[in-house]
Amino acid sequence: MKLLLKSKTFLFFSIILFTSGIMAQDVPEPMYPYRLVNDFAGVFSSAENSALEQKLLAYNDTTSTQIYVITINDLGGYAVSDFAFKLGENWAIGQKSKDNGAVILIKPKIGNSRGQAFIATGYGLESRINDAYAGRIVRNDMIPYFISDDYFGGVNAAVDAMIARLSGEYEADANEEEGVPIIAIIIVLIVIIALLSLFFGEGDQDIGGDGHHRTTMPPIFFSPQSGRRSGGFGGGFGGGFGGGGGGRFGGGGAGGSW
């Protein structure tokens, strides 16, 4: 009798572990090279994918807030909300200590299977994009486009609404950037050159053999190649997007279906 009970117990826990393993496999790893638009369902054209990626990347670079767009054909038995939260946690979306990440998850309508969408937010964004506001974005900005199979239009509208809501909430920290923005380098160079020109332009002058005045301004020591950076800037100039930054998700968000 004891042997039978042990066998049943072992079988029970084996089934649980096996089921958990199958469920875990249903949550994909992020695409590599890392990107903010992970279109596993293939609902965006190449141009649409690129446009969304550039918009989200620019927002990430200037604010450190990561908004991921993820499309998937199969939720693997999960509720759409659970799937979105697991993606946010497993991919560590958002910055560590700020938890300023968000997931826009879309499961497109396929045949008789209803389409589903969900916006999940990290702890740091819940105060600005609460459940009610997330639900409003899904209902008013996303689903009307999705009904017409315009997934790009719906996601683009949702991203715009979220960025407008979060405007000014976070700014990128200096230590979160791997390098100095190229525009800052250019401005510094211009200022240095202007100051050198002003200082030496009114200083000593030589009269050359041809009778013309020449300033003794020292040669500029920057070559065109010296301005290149080896590191990336959150996915911008010369480097790739580095993926999730260690953010956490607390269960905030809302969704809908069509």
Side-chain angles (χ1 to χ4, degrees), residues 38-225:
N38 289 253
D39 185 19
F40 295 107
V43 299
F44 304 130
S45 68
S46 177
E48 291 170 344
N49 198 313
S50 178
L52 283 174
E53 183 70 26
Q54 291 306 311
K55 175 181 289 190
L56 295 172
L57 192 55
Y59 187 62
N60 170 69
D61 287 348
T62 55
T63 68
S64 83
T65 300
Q66 295 182 340
I67 300 176
Y68 272 66
V69 173
I70 304 168
T71 71
I72 192 99
N73 282 324
D74 185 4
L75 296 173
Y78 287 106
V80 65
S81 56
D82 292 339
F83 200 93
F85 295 136
K86 286 191 74 68
L87 285 169
E89 285 287 345
N90 291 359
W91 295 13
I93 295 172
Q95 305 301 325
K96 188 176 182 180
S97 78
K98 287 186 174 180
D99 302 323
N100 55 341
V103 172
I104 300 176
L105 175 64
I106 302 102
K107 191 210 76 75
K109 184 175 183 179
I110 303 173
N112 294 326
S113 172
R114 293 182 66 83
Q116 298 183 70
F118 197 90
I119 295 176
T121 55
Y123 284 112
L125 300 187
E126 289 180 3
S127 63
R128 297 299 297 272
I129 301 181
N130 56 29
D131 296 357
Y133 192 78
R136 198 177 311 146
I137 293 175
V138 173
R139 291 191 306 273
N140 299 342
D141 297 317
M142 297 175 70
I143 290 180
Y145 283 98
F146 294 167
I147 291 174
S148 301
D149 291 329
D150 183 1
Y151 291 100
F152 172 78
V155 172
N156 191 54
V159 169
D160 287 344
M162 292 175 70
I163 289 176
R165 183 77 167 185
L166 295 170
S167 180
E169 178 71 0
Y170 294 110
E171 293 182 358
D173 291 338
N175 61 1
E176 290 174 352
E177 299 171 1
E178 298 177 7
V180 180
I182 193 67
I183 187 64
I185 296 175
I186 293 173
I187 291 173
V188 170
L189 291 179
I190 291 174
V191 171
I192 291 174
I193 292 172
L195 290 174
L196 289 173
S197 299
L198 180 64
F199 182 78
F200 288 99
E202 297 179 357
D204 298 332
Q205 293 186 336
D206 293 334
I207 298 179
D210 56 1
H212 292 89
H213 290 274
R214 297 189 180 90
T215 56
T216 56
M217 178 178 176
I220 301 301
F221 47 85
F222 302 103
S223 66
Q225 290 79 15

